Amino acid sequence: MRSVPESCKDRKWLALGKQLAAATDRSFTVMSYNVLCQKLVKRTMFPYASKSSLKWKTRRPRLLDELSHIMPDIMCLQEVYTKNWGDTFNMWFKREGYEAQMFQSVYKSHGVSISWKKHRFQAIDQTCLRMDRTTEVCGESLTTDNIALIVALRFIGVGADGGEAPGVIVSNTHLYWKPSGCYERLQQQI
């Protein structure tokens, strides 16, 4: 059992109970995590954080410790900085036995990723969506460059009836968050 990283010790975890896990031999774990694109880290947005804790050289090992501690079967990451995908996350996924896909926004330096344990799943299909439609609402032009990545996974092995194993469809997106962006959030719902 891995030790709990300091950054995880005060987290509140949702316990689903053993009866849910025992409901099927095809149970699995999923994690969704916004890793905060390093290019977007601004001291003014995180005044409570120390200057050193916002630097990639400090954040990187802490993020990897948390991912290593949780080690879900399926992992969805948001705000993955393209540079950090190549020099950190993709390499980590491969080393830890995951397959992974990333999809980047056109006008942003980050994107979303979905990864899955190779010994549990195989990818059978995937699609990438550009969710923006530039429209005008009340005189404002709305463009957020939001995206989604969807991957269809099949369990490794055969199904209970001897046929194909069942699967799961995983979708990951990162939507507009700014409190002042009420029109953008409205557009994402349409």
Side-chain angles (χ1 to χ4, degrees):
M1 181 80 170
R2 298 175 194 250
S3 64
V4 177
E6 283 297 318
S7 55
C8 291
K9 288 190 177 177
D10 293 327
R11 296 259 169 94
K12 303 280 187 239
W13 297 99
L14 176 64
L16 298 176
K18 291 183 181 179
Q19 71 279 10
L20 188 62
T24 176
D25 63 340
R26 300 289 187 179
S27 62
F28 57 92
T29 57
V30 179
M31 178 179 80
S32 181
Y33 197 113
N34 184 321
V35 296
L36 182 59
C37 174
Q38 190 61 33
K39 191 173 180 181
L40 302 179
V41 174
K42 306 261 189 287
R43 187 81 186 103
T44 55
M45 293 176 68
F46 304 96
Y48 51 84
S50 70
K51 186 175 180 179
S52 66
S53 69
L54 296 176
K55 294 183 180 198
W56 183 242
K57 69 180 183 180
T58 304
R59 293 182 61 235
R60 181 184 186 275
R62 290 179 179 172
L63 283 167
L64 295 179
D65 280 351
E66 288 199 32
L67 300 181
S68 296
H69 173 69
I70 297 167
M71 292 294 283
D73 297 312
I74 299 171
M75 193 178 315
C76 298
L77 302 181
Q78 303 86 36
E79 281 195 34
V80 180
Y81 186 25
T82 309
K83 179 180 181 231
N84 297 145
W85 175 256
D87 68 17
T88 299
F89 294 111
N90 197 30
M91 293 185 332
W92 183 88
F93 286 134
K94 287 179 182 177
R95 187 176 62 246
E96 296 297 330
Y98 287 86
E99 288 286 331
Q101 293 293 326
M102 182 193 174
F103 182 47
Q104 180 184 348
S105 298
V106 174
Y107 301 108
K108 295 179 182 177
S109 56
H110 58 86
V112 297
S113 73
I114 298 175
S115 59
W116 56 93
K117 289 183 178 175
K118 291 191 290 190
H119 75 277
R120 299 277 333 260
F121 299 98
Q122 67 179 27
I124 55 175
D125 202 1
Q126 77 172 49
T127 190
C128 302
L129 299 175
R130 298 201 184 280
M131 297 166 37
D132 261 344
R133 297 170 302 244
T134 302
T135 58
E136 193 171 303
V137 177
C138 298
E140 291 191 37
S141 180
L142 313 174
T143 303
T144 58
D145 194 29
N146 289 324
I147 57 169
L149 175 61
I150 303 168
V151 178
L153 301 173
R154 180 175 291 137
F155 282 97
I156 299 293
V158 296
D161 62 357
E164 286 186 346
V168 61
I169 297 174
V170 181
S171 177
N172 188 18
T173 187
H174 182 246
L175 301 176
Y176 203 72
W177 65 274
K178 291 184 180 177
S180 62
C182 58
Y183 292 123
E184 288 85 349
R185 288 193 304 280
L186 172 65
Q187 179 191 29
Q188 291 168 166
Q189 296 176 40
I190 298 173

